[in-house]
Amino acid sequence: MAEVAYHNICKSYGSVEVMRDLSLSIQDGEFAVLLGASGCGKTTLLRMTAGLENITGGELTIDGKVMNEVHPRDRDIAMVFQNYALYPTMKVFDNIAFSLEVKRLSKEEIKRKVNEAAAVLNLTDYLDRYPRELSGGQRQRVAMGRAMVRDAKVFLFDEPLSNLDAKLRAHMRVEIRQLHERLKATTVYVTHDQIEAMTMADKIVLMKGGRIEQVGTPDDLYDRPATRFAADFIGSPSMNFVEGDITTEDGNPHFVGPHINLPLDTGLKAEQGQKVICGLRPSDLVTTKSGEIKGTVKLVEKTGADVNIHVDLSETANLVATMARDNGAVAGGSIELTIPPRAVHLFDAETENRIETQTTG
Amino acid sequence: MIVESKNRRYARMAAAWFITALFVFPLYYWGTTAFKQAKEIFSVPPTVWSFTPTLRNFEEVFGISFGFLRQQEVLPGGGNFYMAPRLWDSIVVGLFSTALAIAISTFAAYALSRMDFRGRHHFVAWVLSTRMMPPVAVAIPMFFIYKDIGLMDSYTGIILIHALMNLPLAVLLLKSFFDDIPREIDESAIVDGASRWKIFRRIILPMAKGGIAATAVLCFIFSWTEFIFVLTLTQTGLKTVPVVSSSFVTSTGTAWGNMAALGVAAMAPAFLFILLVQKQLVRGLTLGSLKQ
């Protein structure tokens, strides 16, 4: 059990700087997800944590001890790789037992620990097989078993589900989360999939270009995205963005854009005439007669229980609204939408940082 | 599906068979020569299918009797064509030089594939460049060196030089096999706590078995067919098959039958060696380790 802390971490490859002054703390027992698009530095950060990549500057501590120069095997970590990295010439049992064998545990103890892990992961019947004889999900579980038997302080996952099909991925999400509940080990989990992050994380660390964009609980990131990037990254379908200005009507702030005139919360910390980007989650939009948002339905996309309605506001502005199937919208027809003032997200047009629309608390 | 007319298919098949026959015929003729009597080898017209087979050529070359009718005939050159020890020399040199080359090159190739050191890239090019020198350019200086250090005409000397000539190619070949093994497997083992040596021995080496087998076959074939070094660096102590084949050419004629018999017999050990490692050759390298 351990706290993982990064203090002003920098990383360069030659003269190319990929990470600068990154600081972050992951609490003991916490499930932290590093989320970001490819190339944002999340995997690099994970590999530095494992000791597979040198740290150019700054300090990494696990349990208060500086780890920068400590060999991976002495960091007390376990890692699951994206492609599982199973040893193909060894049977499942030996794959799981390898780290214990290296530690020179007794035969009986190795056997006990492997069987225990296999029972938890439903692998008992497969211990005698080679990795090539297993399905993707089973290989994934072997990789997890290998990490489990080590009783490591910190678990590192590098996009472990990206090679599985959608259904299996959803299943394994639950399994990994359950495993975490059971082991209570500090976990750092890298993914580019916001749904994985939302469903599994205690804490999401959203990264972009080697920096941390926002840190918070899944709810924090969904309800109060700190930047336009964060707002765009979380949620599916992703948030609609419309550019416009802040005006005042009858003493109350309004957002005015192409075919949009939205009343805003009175606690708004923006000035009259300020250029802003308005963020509207598709699921927050509802149909109305009052016409705050007017547009033409371009396409109705079925997703099962709901439909995604693609709406053109003007030549350049369009948005997506998610609604129940029976909303009556048809392609080519006109539609009027609205949104509760509390659900409107505003970002400064220049800095793209969030403008608080509601009094804090 | 591509539909092909029947005539076209037959024409294609015929062409394929014709070309194959063209290449196989010399081998066939060489093989049958080994079973022909001296007078039949040069008979006009040549006897391709129907000749009186004899094992005499083999009997002479290997000094054994198959108990057949012995014809009293004077051998061309009248010399001794007993070659069994020479076959043995070839086997010893081939096996040991291959083993030595493989032992050294697996370590070298693994280091080149996995460890970072200054000038690694240049090192690889340099290794390859040593193989570009014509063997004759090496053989003559080696003759003087071997004479001075006493390796002349010895198994050790020939094994060393064959291993040496094989190293560059073996290192590069094996490096490419090691490069194909994903680094995550090493990294996973590093996190598991294994030492570099343990990773190499327990994980990487078993995965590279197929590549090692393929490289061994090439090394063995090189040694088996190598001529110039054995010719210059040996006298009477040992001689391998390619060199000794030239001794059938004598002042009173060429013993074609005996030469063919030795050639046919020499194919057997090489063939056997390849057959033995073939199982490793076809085995998948990283099968099941990664998502396919």
Side-chain angles (χ1 to χ4, degrees):
Chain A
M1 300 294 117
E3 184 201 358
V4 180
Y6 306 87
H7 309 280
N8 305 103
I9 297 285
C10 300
K11 176 70 187 174
S12 314
Y13 293 101
S15 58
V16 184
E17 192 177 58
V18 295
M19 197 175 288
R20 186 168 192 178
D21 281 341
L22 184 143
S23 294
L24 171 71
S25 158
I26 297 163
Q27 305 304 315
D28 181 20
E30 199 168 34
F31 196 112
V33 173
L34 305 181
L35 177 67
S38 59
C40 73
K42 55 193 193 303
T43 296
T44 306
L45 189 62
L46 190 81
R47 289 172 58 84
M48 286 196 281
T49 315
L52 296 171
E53 203 84 61
N54 287 324
I55 298 170
T56 313
E59 207 168 68
L60 162 72
T61 62
I62 296 177
D63 224 3
K65 289 188 209 89
V66 179
M67 286 289 155
N68 289 36
E69 301 298 324
V70 176
H71 192 276
R73 71 169 152 257
D74 301 321
R75 293 190 184 199
D76 215 350
I77 46 157
M79 185 158 172
V80 176
F81 290 82
Q82 178 172 8
N83 52 23
Y84 321 141
L86 302 181
Y87 312 131
T89 54
M90 297 185 193
K91 289 183 171 169
V92 169
F93 182 95
D94 299 306
N95 259 285
I96 299 176
F98 186 71
S99 67
L100 306 174
E101 200 185 299
V102 171
K103 272 197 214 159
R104 295 179 191 283
L105 294 191
S106 71
K107 278 245 162 70
E108 295 77 52
E109 191 154 12
I110 291 176
K111 203 162 178 189
R112 186 180 58 77
K113 285 196 158 196
V114 173
N115 284 334
E116 239 174 59
V120 172
L121 296 167
N122 285 325
L123 285 171
T124 310
D125 296 337
Y126 305 101
L127 287 175
D128 249 358
R129 294 207 192 168
Y130 284 100
R132 62 172 174 273
E133 297 162 343
L134 301 180
S135 70
Q138 288 163 341
R139 283 180 208 177
Q140 176 61 58
R141 283 207 288 269
V142 175
M144 276 165 46
R146 232 165 43 168
M148 248 173 81
V149 289
R150 303 197 50 218
D151 295 327
K153 279 185 194 162
V154 181
F155 276 65
L156 307 174
F157 291 88
D158 186 8
E159 308 214 16
L161 306 184
S162 55
N163 285 341
L164 303 179
D165 62 53
K167 200 170 172 188
L168 199 53
R169 207 178 306 159
H171 176 72
M172 290 306 289
R173 279 207 305 258
V174 178
E175 280 202 17
I176 293 178
R177 188 61 219 196
Q178 280 173 345
L179 193 69
H180 178 255
E181 297 299 327
R182 206 184 157 103
L183 302 173
K184 293 270 177 237
T186 312
T187 302
V188 186
Y189 185 106
V190 164
T191 182
H192 61 263
D193 181 349
Q194 55 98 14
I195 293 179
E196 263 174 49
M198 292 299 280
T199 51
M200 296 167 82
D202 292 325
K203 178 193 266 176
I204 294 179
V205 181
L206 182 65
M207 294 180 69
K208 181 193 177 190
R211 289 178 306 103
I212 292 178
E213 192 80 5
Q214 188 174 3
V215 181
T217 63
D219 285 346
D220 284 345
L221 267 79
Y222 189 79
D223 294 337
R224 294 160 57 86
T227 60
R228 181 190 163 157
F229 176 80
D232 194 22
F233 208 92
I234 308 278
S236 173
S238 55
M239 193 184 272
N240 301 296
F241 296 100
V242 186
E243 289 183 31
D245 310 278
I246 302 285
T247 59
T248 313
E249 285 174 27
D250 312 330
N252 289 325
H254 275 245
F255 169 81
V256 179
H259 294 102
I260 296 186
N261 187 336
L262 281 175
L264 300 171
D265 247 20
T266 44
L268 180 73
K269 291 171 184 139
E271 290 153 24
Q272 163 99 18
Q274 189 178 347
K275 294 265 179 220
V276 293
I277 299 165
C278 176
L280 309 164
R281 291 227 180 265
S283 54
D284 289 336
L285 291 163
V286 288
T287 45
T288 180
K289 298 264 179 247
S290 54
E292 276 100 357
I293 305 170
K294 285 181 194 155
T296 321
V297 177
K298 193 171 65 179
L299 175 75
V300 179
E301 192 183 36
K302 294 188 174 86
T303 60
D306 297 324
V307 289
N308 294 330
I309 305 170
H310 294 252
V311 180
D312 278 348
L313 303 179
S314 68
E315 296 253 311
T316 50
N318 49 60
L319 49 77
V320 178
T322 303
M323 288 179 196
R325 260 191 295 198
D326 52 3
N327 62 80
V330 283
S334 62
I335 191 167
E336 291 181 32
L337 299 164
T338 192
I339 191 166
R342 291 192 145 262
V344 175
H345 302 267
L346 286 179
F347 304 93
D348 186 278
E350 247 167 65
T351 62
E352 301 202 337
N353 285 331
R354 178 181 185 81
I355 303 167
E356 290 299 335
T357 55
Q358 39 198 291
T359 34
T360 324
Chain B
M1 205 175 107
I2 298 164
V3 183
E4 208 177 10
S5 77
K6 247 184 184 171
N7 288 341
R8 215 182 137 82
R9 200 170 71 220
Y10 287 139
R12 199 160 50 83
M13 294 266 281
W17 278 111
F18 176 72
I19 293 166
T20 308
L22 213 61
F23 280 97
V24 170
F25 182 74
L27 268 177
Y28 167 80
Y29 199 72
W30 183 248
T32 51
T33 301
F35 295 95
K36 283 180 188 173
Q37 291 169 29
K39 59 176 186 242
E40 242 178 322
I41 291 171
F42 286 106
S43 64
V44 179
T47 49
V48 176
W49 311 113
S50 58
F51 55 90
T52 324
T54 169
L55 285 167
R56 199 166 151 246
N57 292 323
F58 289 91
E59 287 179 329
E60 279 163 10
V61 167
F62 295 104
I64 41 174
S65 169
F66 293 103
F68 288 90
L69 172 78
R70 280 196 161 282
Q71 290 178 353
Q72 294 302 310
E73 194 186 326
V74 182
L75 287 167
N80 181 13
F81 290 119
Y82 176 53
M83 293 301 175
R86 305 289 82 94
L87 209 56
W88 175 247
D89 288 346
S90 272
I91 291 170
V92 169
V93 168
L95 286 181
F96 280 90
S97 72
T98 300
L100 187 64
I102 292 294
I104 297 169
S105 57
T106 38
F107 286 109
Y110 182 64
L112 283 172
S113 166
R114 290 302 201 264
M115 292 175 190
D116 276 313
F117 53 86
R118 200 178 276 272
R120 184 173 73 157
H121 188 72
H122 300 290
F123 194 83
V124 173
W126 183 47
V127 164
L128 187 64
S129 72
T130 61
R131 196 65 181 83
M132 293 172 185
M133 210 162 17
V136 185
V138 186
I140 294 161
M142 284 314 272
F143 173 79
F144 292 107
I145 294 169
Y146 268 32
K147 234 170 70 169
D148 283 350
I149 61 176
L151 281 176
M152 199 66 191
D153 209 15
S154 68
Y155 280 113
T156 320
I158 299 300
I159 287 167
L160 279 177
I161 192 81
H162 279 184
L164 187 78
M165 289 308 286
N166 272 327
L167 271 178
L169 203 68
V171 167
L172 289 178
L173 257 176
L174 284 171
K175 179 182 175 293
S176 75
F177 280 111
F178 287 137
D179 285 346
D180 282 347
I181 298 175
R183 267 177 183 251
E184 281 92 343
I185 291 191
D186 295 54
E187 287 171 347
S188 169
I190 289 172
V191 173
D192 269 351
S195 63
R196 181 73 82 174
W197 168 244
K198 185 145 192 139
I199 295 170
F200 178 68
R201 197 176 54 84
R202 282 291 312 277
I203 295 161
I204 303 299
L205 218 51
M207 284 179 75
K209 258 197 306 206
I212 292 171
T215 312
V217 167
L218 288 179
C219 288
F220 186 81
I221 289 174
F222 168 82
S223 172
W224 193 254
T225 56
E226 199 281 324
F227 181 77
I228 199 102
F229 287 112
V230 179
L231 183 74
T232 45
L233 302 177
T234 62
Q235 280 146 2
T236 51
L238 74 150
K239 284 240 186 287
T240 55
V241 169
V243 171
V244 93
S245 296
S246 63
S247 68
F248 289 117
V249 184
T250 68
S251 54
T252 53
T254 301
W256 289 106
N258 297 89
M259 197 194 271
L262 182 64
V264 168
M267 270 160 61
F271 193 69
L272 208 73
F273 181 78
I274 292 167
L275 218 60
L276 277 175
V277 289
Q278 198 187 24
K279 213 172 77 187
Q280 304 299 336
L281 282 177
V282 293
R283 197 169 276 173
L285 275 178
T286 58
L287 208 63
S289 150
L290 302 176
K291 161 106 184 160
Q292 289 127 40

